[in-house]
Amino acid sequence: MVAEKEQFLRVGGPLDYQIAPTHFPANRHHDGHIPFGHALDLEHATRAEVVLERVQSHVDTRGLALQINGHPWLPVPPPAGVPRPATDYMFHDYPVVPVPLEYLHAGPGNTFKLKVDSTQRWNWPQNIFYGVLLRIYYAPETFDLQVRVEGLSPGDSLAANQKLTLATPTPEAIARVDYVGLYHDINWRGDGIFRQWQYHFHKGKIRNHLGSATAPPFEVHWATDWVPDQPREIQVAARVTDHQGLVHITPAISGLRLHRDHRVELALPYRQPANWVTREDSLISYVAVHSNPVHVEALQLAWRSWSPCYARGVFINGVRVFDHEAPCYDYAEHLLEIEEPTFLQHGENVISTGKTPLIDGQMVHGMEVQWPGIMLKVRTRPPDQPAVRIEEGTYAGRPHFIVHTPSATYYYDRAGGGLSRLIDTDGRDWIGFWPIPWDTYPASAASAYRGIPNLVFGSDEGGAGHPGHDQCESERLEGQRIRSTSRQGRWQWTWHFFADHARLDIERTDPNHAYWFLYEGTPGGVYEPARQYMGTDQGGPLRIQPDFFAGDKRFDIWRWAYFGHEEARQVLFVAQHQPDTLSDAFAYLGNTPAGLHAPDGMVIFGFGRQDGAIPLMTERRTFFVGLHEAVRDADAHTRLGAYIRTLLRLHSDQD
């Protein structure tokens, strides 16, 4: 057993800072109120906020709230990118709590207090905190400091060792410069958001940023060799701290890009276990590698943990890549580099942690793996490749074709004959099929019900066209096409993949059974009906949330439809080439009876679907699927409609 050495603030349970003086001295607080320790200048202040450096610590710890100077309690939000309920997961995040200016007073003596709910599964609620930062914002003209980043211009390509300096007429006024970037990379903030201004704090000190300098010309060199390939522009700015302690943000330099002789893929984890603590069991998650392993030179593993001295191995596809390291009972960041990782697989890779055994006959803490889990960066030097290509891989333990296009990566289940994943360039999976739980209503709305096009239902070949089933044989054809035939030969269809969409041609149907075309998945990669929208050729965008479980469904006759999330840059659209008069359907299905408020679930949309889950289509037809720019307003709806009509005309001409 190892004694605790590090210091942090415990909130909740028998070691709560208010009642455990051996963990937090009684003279450091008054009835739980802790002084901030700085005199506040509120003249010209425009707003205030508190940033908490929070570790979840014990699952099912809920109700975190902040109090300032005895004013009403302020609820602290859960991390947005963690699955619901977030309290079931291990995470270390930095929630921001707006504070009304009237809660503060000028000068010294401002205090804060923290609390959590008293109930928890094993009667020990606990969050721990490494820092509490109070920020006061002022109008920019109040404290004018002329500063800008030098070394880059808008639209530049970044160098492998990019030099950054600060231009200012008053360098003597500056105490420190911290350079930060807006780009897609490892999520060190622990909120599940991969594109953001890349920095965070530990005990109030900035970390995982581009670099810092404390003397003119405030020069740093940013090594970009392992910066992932970017789906969008990179921006660079600086946080400039003057000798008064005021932080000034420079204008961002935008339009930056990478131009180099290698590629770096950020491989994102999925299906992370709740309560990932190694004393519980040997636990697994997954990560999809879309780079061909033949071309991989090296990889990096990155994750955040707590108490990794009690780890007993991290494994990729059964190969041990890490054992354990200090500290015990404290926060840690891990970044490992492995040359020529021959154990990588194309598509799905299994990440696992070993179970921590009893030590001296006693259960010990184990390593906590903090959300979003263990992330990979994969560096390759691939040869020139076509923009659209089909390769072999695996997902959910099943053989897949993996279709790479400039706009999306499609996972095609070869035995199921349907799409199990559709991943945009930001890493969002718009389908999210998983085999467990299997065929359980409504729980499988978070797993096995999902897919595109889920064609055949209610016959002895039911499941043909649906990922997870074994009703098809699929082959790769010339011209970036995949053909699937049902095992009894009564159904056949071909997918043709293009740079910005995919086309499905139904070539053979069973004369004794109808079919439908379904999109059952997660717009924007999550189930959040209140933040999602849809539209059809009859209008949009529409904020409607019919609850399938409650019997609320929408039926109409549509030529095309789209689905989006307010944070996603795209919508997923589906269209049918031939107009018809058959019923189409739309609703949301949650994975619990809570319906729209369930923690997970899916959209149900069907061409040729009648109430009562009745397929209606019998003829050979053509359908389209793709991603397009997000539809925020009526003008964007009109643009998408024009694009789809052009797409339909184009394929009519080709036919």
Side-chain angles (χ1 to χ4, degrees):
M1 300 289 288
V2 179
E4 292 182 17
K5 296 181 180 179
E6 194 51 67
Q7 293 183 335
F8 38 79
L9 189 72
R10 297 178 187 263
V11 177
L15 299 181
D16 184 279
Y17 75 97
Q18 300 181 58
I19 60 175
T22 57
H23 288 265
F24 191 76
N27 62 1
R28 297 288 300 276
H29 70 92
H30 178 68
D31 191 27
H33 295 274
I34 302 173
F36 277 107
H38 294 276
L40 300 186
D41 179 2
L42 298 180
E43 188 176 2
H44 305 300
T46 59
R47 62 186 177 95
E49 65 188 20
V50 166
V51 182
L52 301 171
E53 299 181 33
R54 167 180 61 181
V55 177
Q56 172 67 359
S57 188
H58 289 185
V59 295
D60 197 39
T61 299
R62 292 168 279 122
L64 176 63
L66 168 73
Q67 188 178 55
I68 301 294
N69 292 332
H71 286 284
W73 288 94
L74 302 170
V76 179
V82 178
R84 295 174 292 168
T87 52
D88 281 354
Y89 289 80
M90 293 291 100
F91 60 81
H92 182 161
D93 73 331
Y94 306 87
V96 177
V97 184
V99 176
L101 283 173
E102 58 267 26
Y103 284 16
L104 301 169
H105 58 258
N110 289 275
T111 65
F112 70 91
K113 185 177 182 178
L114 293 165
K115 70 173 183 178
V116 296
D117 288 351
S118 59
T119 58
Q120 191 262 355
R121 289 174 194 166
W122 64 84
N123 297 318
W124 192 335
Q126 180 174 276
N127 288 164
I128 64 176
F129 296 85
Y130 282 100
V132 178
L133 285 71
L134 173 62
R135 291 174 175 162
I136 309 296
Y137 290 83
Y138 305 92
E141 62 273 12
T142 306
F143 301 97
D144 187 25
L145 185 66
Q146 298 180 38
V147 287
R148 61 181 175 85
V149 176
E150 279 195 333
L152 286 170
S153 298
D156 278 356
S157 293
L158 294 169
N161 194 30
Q162 181 63 53
K163 177 181 175 181
L164 301 171
T165 59
L166 191 79
T168 178
T170 55
E172 69 280 358
I174 296 171
R176 178 185 175 97
V177 178
D178 301 307
Y179 296 94
V180 296
L182 172 63
Y183 57 100
H184 194 69
D185 206 345
I186 294 297
N187 180 223
W188 292 115
R189 286 197 191 184
D191 54 10
I193 300 171
F194 294 89
R195 177 180 166 83
Q196 59 182 305
W197 288 99
Q198 299 288 351
Y199 69 95
H200 65 98
F201 295 92
H202 184 60
K203 296 187 175 181
K205 296 180 179 179
I206 194 168
R207 295 180 59 83
N208 291 307
H209 56 305
L210 307 187
S212 299
T214 57
F218 305 104
E219 179 177 321
V220 303
H221 289 82
W222 175 27
T224 64
D225 186 56
W226 276 100
V227 173
D229 298 345
Q230 298 295 306
R232 288 187 266 177
E233 64 164 4
I234 296 172
Q235 297 184 23
V236 169
R239 304 175 77 255
V240 180
T241 305
D242 65 24
H243 287 292
Q244 300 179 69
L246 293 170
V247 178
H248 308 256
I249 308 298
T250 68
I253 301 174
S254 61
L256 305 174
R257 62 189 187 275
L258 296 165
H259 184 71
R260 56 195 180 186
D261 63 354
H262 66 280
R263 302 194 64 183
V264 177
E265 175 190 353
L266 177 60
L268 304 182
Y270 56 93
R271 295 286 165 180
Q272 297 93 313
N275 193 25
W276 194 341
V277 184
T278 61
R279 69 171 177 266
E280 300 292 333
D281 205 344
S282 177
L283 300 170
I284 64 173
S285 71
Y286 304 86
V287 63
V289 174
H290 297 142
S291 304
N292 192 320
V294 172
H295 307 304
V296 173
E297 295 181 335
L299 69 80
Q300 287 185 340
L301 282 79
W303 76 100
R304 308 167 80 205
S305 74
W306 207 81
S307 201
C309 75
Y310 288 123
R312 289 302 180 265
V314 172
F315 305 83
I316 302 179
N317 299 325
V319 176
R320 184 189 294 266
V321 295
F322 170 83
D323 189 69
H324 70 280
E325 64 183 1
C328 293
Y329 300 102
D330 197 12
Y331 166 71
E333 297 172 1
H334 309 271
L335 184 62
L336 313 180
E337 187 167 327
I338 301 172
E339 300 290 333
E340 299 182 357
T342 57
F343 47 78
L344 274 190
Q345 298 177 2
H346 191 207
E348 185 170 86
N349 292 261
V350 179
I351 308 289
S352 59
T353 52
K355 182 179 180 180
T356 302
L358 299 179
I359 296 179
D360 297 330
Q362 299 183 50
M363 178 179 286
V364 295
H365 188 279
M367 175 177 69
E368 296 176 5
V369 177
Q370 310 288 6
W371 185 268
I374 300 173
M375 299 157 276
L376 303 186
K377 290 200 278 191
V378 182
R379 190 175 67 206
T380 61
R381 295 183 192 273
D384 291 338
Q385 296 174 313
V388 179
R389 65 188 189 278
I390 301 174
E391 299 176 332
E392 295 184 2
T394 59
Y395 174 68
R398 298 173 61 83
H400 274 65
F401 288 124
I402 302 176
V403 185
H404 303 272
T405 78
S407 62
T409 301
Y410 302 82
Y411 276 64
Y412 191 85
D413 186 329
R414 296 167 63 177
L419 297 172
S420 61
R421 308 188 81 192
L422 197 163
I423 303 170
D424 67 21
T425 54
D426 291 324
R428 299 173 183 268
D429 186 351
W430 293 69
I431 299 176
F433 166 85
W434 192 251
I436 301 170
W438 179 265
D439 197 19
T440 304
Y441 184 81
S444 294
S447 56
Y449 288 165
R450 297 174 178 176
I452 295 176
N454 300 358
L455 291 171
V456 183
F457 178 76
S459 77
D460 58 354
E461 289 195 288
H466 196 308
H469 292 260
D470 295 304
Q471 292 280 25
C472 296
E473 295 180 356
S474 301
E475 59 180 331
R476 181 169 41 181
L477 306 178
E478 293 182 356
Q480 313 306 339
R481 294 178 298 152
I482 297 172
R483 173 169 291 160
S484 292
T485 305
S486 66
R487 294 195 183 277
Q488 297 184 38
R490 294 196 290 262
W491 300 89
Q492 182 175 288
W493 53 87
T494 296
W495 285 88
H496 193 169
F497 294 92
F498 301 87
D500 61 351
H501 68 280
R503 167 176 167 159
L504 170 63
D505 293 310
I506 307 298
E507 299 167 337
R508 186 187 308 154
T509 65
D510 183 343
N512 298 314
H513 290 279
Y515 70 98
W516 52 31
F517 176 101
L518 303 185
Y519 167 49
E520 296 182 307
T522 50
V526 293
Y527 178 74
E528 290 183 325
R531 304 182 68 197
Q532 290 166 326
Y533 60 91
M534 64 91 67
T536 72
D537 54 303
Q538 295 186 11
L542 305 174
R543 295 274 186 164
I544 56 174
Q545 292 96 32
D547 187 338
F548 189 97
F549 190 85
D552 184 13
K553 311 158 196 173
R554 302 296 168 89
F555 296 95
D556 211 317
I557 299 171
W558 297 307
R559 185 78 180 273
W560 49 265
Y562 60 84
F563 314 90
H565 187 286
E566 60 189 33
E567 290 189 356
R569 292 191 299 134
Q570 297 100 348
V571 294
L572 182 146
F573 71 85
V574 293
Q576 50 182 338
H577 202 190
Q578 299 85 358
D580 62 25
T581 58
L582 303 177
S583 172
D584 305 318
F586 168 72
Y588 288 93
L589 176 61
N591 69 331
T592 73
L596 297 176
H597 305 289
D600 207 345
M602 67 182 188
V603 156
I604 296 176
F605 179 85
F607 287 129
R609 177 169 178 150
Q610 184 175 303
D611 197 11
I614 300 173
L616 299 175
M617 295 179 174
T618 57
E619 301 174 346
R620 293 182 296 173
R621 290 175 174 268
T622 295
F623 304 91
F624 299 91
V625 178
L627 298 175
H628 195 266
E629 67 171 296
V631 179
R632 309 294 188 200
D633 51 35
D635 289 342
H637 174 92
T638 300
R639 289 194 299 272
L640 176 57
Y643 167 82
I644 293 175
R645 288 190 295 272
T646 300
L647 189 67
L648 297 178
R649 286 197 301 270
L650 174 65
H651 284 275
S652 294
D653 294 342
Q654 292 176 348
D655 293 342

